[in-house]
Amino acid sequence: MKIFKSLPLLLLTILLLLSTSSGAIAASTTEITPSVKAAFDLTAATADGPARVKLTSLYNDLSTLKLQYDQREEQIRILHYNNEQSLVVVRQQIKGIDLEAVTRLEASVKSSKQRYQPLFDQYSALNKRISIAKSLKDKTLNTVLRAQGDAMKILVQLARQEISDKQNQLNAAKKKRSQKIAEARKTLSGIESPQITIKSNKSVITSLNKRVSADWTDFKAAIRKQNLTLTTQSLAALVSGYRQIATHKQKIIELEQKISLVIANTKKQIS
């Protein structure tokens, strides 16, 4: 029974993990293991001086770029996660702009209407009595009721004016709130262009990762066979691919930072 009870929590945890990693790019399939290094060293040893220097230089470049790949991937993951969390907060803050003030004014209007409703009811009833007295042609009663009506009319006018003033304040507050919300959302919409460009860069990286994966397969086959030509070609292709990926990853980092700035400016505007 405990297993079944904990199942929804487990599913929720998995979904949260998936959503957290949604901004990440697929991890590189290139893993420079000790066995790969040993096979490369044996292959490089069969090359003459200049060729060996070139191979070693390419291999060192690959090792550096691979490390950079992982570091930038982690940086992107953190930036994206922080932006997603900040977006949740700022969107909630936008919804809450002047909400307390508007709610307070709405309550004040409602309270005034309720407080003066008995007066309005009495005034309405009195006008009906005046109308009846007029039809009965009772001058004395008509005079008394009209005097009461005139006195009450002043109170009713004052009450209606108070309600009208409060309603106007409420309407003005609502209009101001709507304007502030619109302005904040306009500022926040500045994240849309970077988000689109990020998707474009991620798409390119996905394609490059597939090419790098194929080049890595060729590289491992080449060092197993100690094929210098294929080793050099595949290694050069790997370095080229990783350099292109590094460029696109750096663009994504800058775009995520731009999104962070837009969110920060929106928060500042709200406050």
Side-chain angles (χ1 to χ4, degrees):
M1 289 296 291
K2 289 182 178 179
I3 294 174
F4 288 110
K5 287 180 179 179
S6 63
L7 191 57
L9 181 59
L10 178 61
L11 290 172
L12 178 60
T13 304
I14 293 170
L15 287 171
L16 286 171
L17 288 171
L18 288 173
S19 64
T20 299
S21 61
S22 62
I25 304 160
S28 170
T29 55
T30 305
E31 292 298 333
I32 304 175
T33 62
S35 61
V36 168
K37 177 68 167 65
F40 169 77
D41 288 342
L42 288 173
T43 302
T46 65
D48 57 24
R52 190 182 308 123
V53 170
K54 182 180 179 180
L55 278 171
T56 302
S57 177
L58 285 170
Y59 186 85
N60 290 339
D61 286 345
L62 176 63
S63 299
T64 301
L65 287 165
K66 176 62 175 67
L67 179 61
Q68 185 189 70
Y69 181 107
D70 295 336
Q71 289 172 339
R72 287 187 176 178
E73 181 64 17
E74 178 64 10
Q75 188 178 356
I76 289 169
R77 188 192 68 79
I78 292 171
L79 281 168
H80 179 77
Y81 176 80
N82 289 340
N83 283 340
E84 287 296 302
Q85 299 305 304
S86 296
L87 275 172
V88 171
V89 173
V90 78
R91 282 172 177 150
Q92 198 62 37
Q93 288 176 335
I94 289 173
K95 290 180 182 178
I97 290 175
D98 290 349
L99 181 59
E100 186 177 337
V102 168
T103 302
R104 187 170 59 251
L105 286 170
E106 285 176 336
S108 180
V109 171
K110 183 179 180 181
S111 175
S112 294
K113 286 179 177 179
Q114 289 175 340
R115 187 168 70 253
Y116 290 121
Q117 191 57 49
L119 174 64
F120 297 149
D121 291 341
Q122 288 174 17
Y123 185 61
S124 178
L126 180 59
N127 282 330
K128 288 179 181 178
R129 290 178 64 192
I130 291 172
S131 179
I132 294 171
K134 187 176 180 181
S135 65
L136 294 174
K137 297 181 180 181
D138 187 334
K139 291 184 179 181
T140 303
L141 179 60
N142 193 33
T143 302
V144 172
L145 292 177
R146 281 191 175 280
Q148 291 178 357
D150 290 341
M152 191 173 287
K153 183 179 181 180
I154 296 172
L155 295 176
V156 168
Q157 287 175 338
L158 290 172
R160 285 174 177 166
Q161 186 60 51
E162 181 182 326
I163 292 171
S164 177
D165 290 343
K166 288 185 177 182
Q167 186 65 54
N168 289 337
Q169 289 176 16
L170 173 60
N171 293 340
K174 283 183 175 181
K175 183 179 179 180
K176 187 176 180 181
R177 178 172 184 265
S178 297
Q179 289 174 341
K180 285 184 178 181
I181 289 175
E183 289 169 2
R185 284 177 175 164
K186 183 179 179 180
T187 301
L188 190 61
S189 69
I191 68 173
E192 293 171 5
S193 179
Q195 285 176 332
I196 292 170
T197 311
I198 284 172
K199 287 181 181 179
S200 176
N201 278 277
K202 284 183 178 180
S203 178
V204 174
I205 290 174
T206 298
S207 298
L208 287 170
N209 272 331
K210 291 177 182 177
R211 200 182 84 188
V212 163
S213 180
D215 291 334
W216 181 247
T217 299
D218 291 341
F219 172 70
K220 289 193 292 183
I223 57 177
R224 277 199 307 270
K225 298 173 183 178
Q226 295 189 356
N227 184 325
L228 284 172
T229 302
L230 184 56
T231 297
T232 304
Q233 290 174 349
S234 58
L235 197 52
L238 280 167
V239 170
S240 174
Y242 267 112
R243 279 180 177 153
Q244 291 178 65
I245 289 172
T247 299
H248 287 285
K249 279 181 176 287
Q250 184 57 38
K251 286 180 182 177
I252 291 174
I253 289 170
E254 291 168 3
L255 289 164
E256 288 286 2
Q257 289 170 339
K258 188 177 288 187
I259 289 172
S260 299
L261 182 60
V262 171
I263 295 171
N265 287 338
T266 305
K267 285 183 177 180
K268 191 184 295 183
Q269 182 178 335
I270 293 170
S271 62

